[in-house]
Every structure is written in structure tokens, then in C-alpha cells.
Amino acid sequence: MPGKIENFNRTFMPGSDAPVDVIEKVEGQTLDKPVEVKVVMKSDSMLMLSITRPKGMRDPIHQHDDHETSCHLVSGKLKLWIGGEEWIANPGDTWFHPKGVPHWSEALEESVQVEVKAPPVKTW
């Protein structure tokens, strides 16, 4: 369900305490494969997620009208499409989804990315 997530502001979050959701929709659109989303940190101004995507998973084209997102690939390989441009992301690469810009990604390998949303909005 979209909207603000419960407030669990912390200064330190042990990875084992981070809540995990297996999601099948983003922005109300059905994903072709489930994705694991771990909320690793939240404050009043941002939300940090760790997202694990199975190989072959592709997001439907979507946009976020209420927040912007910065992403960093930790492992794996992704094909990215943001506002009409395409890239291949490898570990260490970083990208940005501005508010209102259509985008999608496809996991060319099982991938883990860190994502920061501002303001902190739950999109699943």
C-alpha cells in the first residue's frame, strides 16, 4: 500500500533487525517476479532500502510523482531505462530517478541495490 511507512527512526540499524517485504507490485503495477525489499533505515527526510532482484526480473515502466530516488548497485548487473536513456549498471554504479520521470530496470543477473527515497515514501 503506497504512503508513509511506520516511523522507526534510529541512529543505528543492525541488518538482522531490518524489516523485509517480498513485494509483487510497485506504484500499483504488478511485477513479473517478486522482489525482496529490506527497509534498512528511515528518518523524517529519507528512506533507505536494500532491494534484491532475481535474474530476469523487469519492473513495469513507472514513475514516482511524490519523491526522488538515488540508487547504488552493490552486486549483480542491471539494465536501466530512465527518461528515454539506457545504461548497463555494474557493481559500484549509481543512478537517480527524478520525480515524475518514467523508468524501469531489468536484472541481467541476481542483483542487490541500495536505494534512498526522499521524502520517505512507501511505493509498494
Side-chain angles (χ1 to χ4, degrees):
M1 171 165 85
K4 296 215 180 249
I5 66 165
E6 60 283 347
N7 191 1
F8 65 91
N9 290 337
R10 294 185 183 189
T11 303
F12 177 81
M13 170 71 81
S16 59
D17 287 358
V20 177
D21 283 332
V22 176
I23 65 167
E24 296 180 359
K25 290 187 176 195
V26 64
E27 295 288 355
Q29 297 185 57
T30 302
L31 301 173
D32 63 356
K33 294 182 180 182
V35 172
E36 182 180 282
V37 176
K38 183 185 282 192
V39 178
V40 295
M41 187 59 64
K42 187 220 177 262
S43 74
D44 293 335
S45 60
M46 66 88 193
L47 171 66
M48 180 181 278
L49 308 170
S50 175
I51 302 172
T52 302
R53 299 171 182 277
K55 181 179 179 178
M57 183 273 166
R58 181 174 165 169
D59 300 328
I61 189 167
H62 64 283
Q63 66 188 45
H64 309 286
D65 293 325
D66 57 357
H67 68 278
E68 58 188 26
T69 307
S70 294
C71 304
H72 180 82
L73 191 60
V74 175
S75 64
K77 188 179 219 177
L78 295 174
K79 182 176 188 178
L80 304 172
W81 184 89
I82 304 168
E85 295 186 70
E86 266 187 36
W87 296 272
I88 300 297
N90 291 290
D93 292 345
T94 304
W95 61 98
F96 179 69
H97 301 149
K99 262 186 210 182
V101 174
H103 59 277
W104 57 262
S105 62
E106 179 181 354
L108 302 176
E109 300 173 359
E110 181 175 274
S111 300
V112 176
Q113 77 185 58
V114 173
E115 190 169 290
V116 177
K117 295 179 177 292
V121 176
K122 186 174 179 179
T123 60
W124 63 97

